[in-house]
Amino acid sequence: MSDVAVMTSRSGRVKSARRLTARATRASERLFLAEGPQAVREALALPGCVVEVFATPAATDRLEKLRRHARVQSLQWHLVDEPALDSLADTRTPQGVVAVCRFIDVGLDELPWPDIRLLAVCADVRDPGNAGTVIRCADAAGAGAVVLTGSSVDPYNAKTVRASAGSLFHLPVVVAPAVKQSLATISAHGLVVLAADGGGSVSLDDLEPALLVGRTAWLFGNEAWGLPPELRAVADHVVAVPMYGGAESLNLATAAAICLYASAREQHRAP
């Protein structure tokens, strides 16, 4: 590849892609960056998602299978030097490849409601790592979708994309600002809303198995202040994850994993 021009951080295509590190630019262009082989691999597997790929020559040599996949889709695979790649990446030690991807979120009305048995809803979840991990956990638990509502973090934030470990490209993600309206829509489609909250009136251990077997939407609140009273009030049940040791609380993503898997376990046991 010595005869192929290698772009620098001053190249026009690199500058254009770098602007996507700003949320406002992502929103206006409906494009975002996916960093690392795992994210790029999963993005390429989603038809129409990837616009173009930037990679260092060394990474291109390592990732020939990815490059062939991009070539099959007639995508441009740009060779860039290390400083250019660093300017696009969010990590301190980039893995040499970044893809420009189209937004993939859908509206609540676009979800395949009859097929959804398990849903994760994040209300005002601000931490990108937590949001990405909830998406990953929901994917692993077989949830039908993840809804980011209220003032939740941008799902295309670099840290959110990275924390999802490719799961962002596996299941529908909804961005819906109106929390109560979103919950009303979810309830109208027949899902029972279970709010996860440390002050819940019922322990997860004591929850009727029938509630977990049925079509369920787990509602998770903000990392610092949890769910406000008005959201707890609209949930069908407010559920606390039991604490057996001396820890004061659980990380939001950890609590979400426990709750989602409690439902998934019962649903997969059911005939």
Side-chain angles (χ1 to χ4, degrees), residues 256-268:
I258 292 170
C259 294
L260 290 167
Y261 265 90
S263 287
R265 182 171 55 250
E266 294 300 329
Q267 290 179 355
H268 284 271

Side-chain angles (χ1 to χ4, degrees), residues 123-125 196-198 219-229 231-232 252:
D124 302 319
V125 172
D197 188 89
L219 173 63
F220 308 107
N222 178 270
E223 294 87 349
W225 59 81
L227 289 166
L231 291 187
R232 293 198 298 270
L252 168 68

Side-chain angles (χ1 to χ4, degrees), residues 26-241:
R26 291 196 297 271
S28 64
E29 298 190 15
R30 293 192 61 77
L31 297 172
F32 69 103
L33 300 176
E35 176 188 345
Q38 173 70 11
V40 175
R41 183 179 301 110
E42 302 304 329
L44 284 170
L46 188 62
C49 177
V50 177
V51 176
E52 57 187 343
V53 181
F54 297 87
T56 63
T60 297
D61 289 340
R62 294 195 310 270
L63 304 171
E64 179 57 30
K65 186 176 180 180
L66 278 188
R67 193 185 189 199
R68 288 199 304 269
H69 196 168
R71 190 181 298 124
V72 167
Q73 299 182 36
S74 300
L75 299 173
Q76 290 185 309
W77 183 286
H78 306 294
L79 295 181
V80 296
D81 62 17
E82 295 283 354
L85 196 286
D86 289 347
S87 73
L88 299 176
D90 184 65
T91 55
R92 290 186 178 182
T93 55
Q95 294 176 280
V97 61
V98 173
V100 175
C101 304
R102 294 182 177 90
F103 274 20
I104 52 178
D105 57 281
V106 300
L108 270 177
D109 58 341
E110 298 177 75
L111 293 180
W113 286 107
D115 299 327
I116 292 180
R117 298 185 64 194
L118 182 59
L119 192 69
V121 184
C122 294
D124 302 319
V125 172
R126 306 285 184 85
D127 182 85
N130 276 335
T133 304
V134 170
I135 293 171
R136 183 179 184 180
C137 291
D139 181 25
V146 174
V147 179
L148 299 177
T149 187
S151 56
S152 289
V153 67
D154 173 18
Y156 305 113
N157 176 290
K159 291 182 175 62
T160 305
V161 176
R162 188 166 64 254
S164 80
S167 289
L168 177 66
F169 305 102
H170 292 171
L171 77 172
V173 174
V174 176
V175 179
V179 183
K180 287 186 177 181
Q181 183 178 336
S182 298
L183 293 175
T185 299
I186 291 166
S187 295
H189 282 284
L191 278 76
V192 173
V193 178
L194 301 179
D197 188 89
S201 57
V202 60
S203 167
L204 181 61
D205 283 351
D206 299 327
L207 204 61
E208 290 293 332
L211 283 175
L212 296 173
V213 169
R215 299 175 66 222
T216 303
W218 276 102
L219 173 63
F220 308 107
N222 178 270
E223 294 87 349
W225 59 81
L227 289 166
E230 61 269 22
L231 291 187
R232 293 198 298 270
V234 299
D236 294 294
H237 301 276
V238 182
V239 183
V241 175

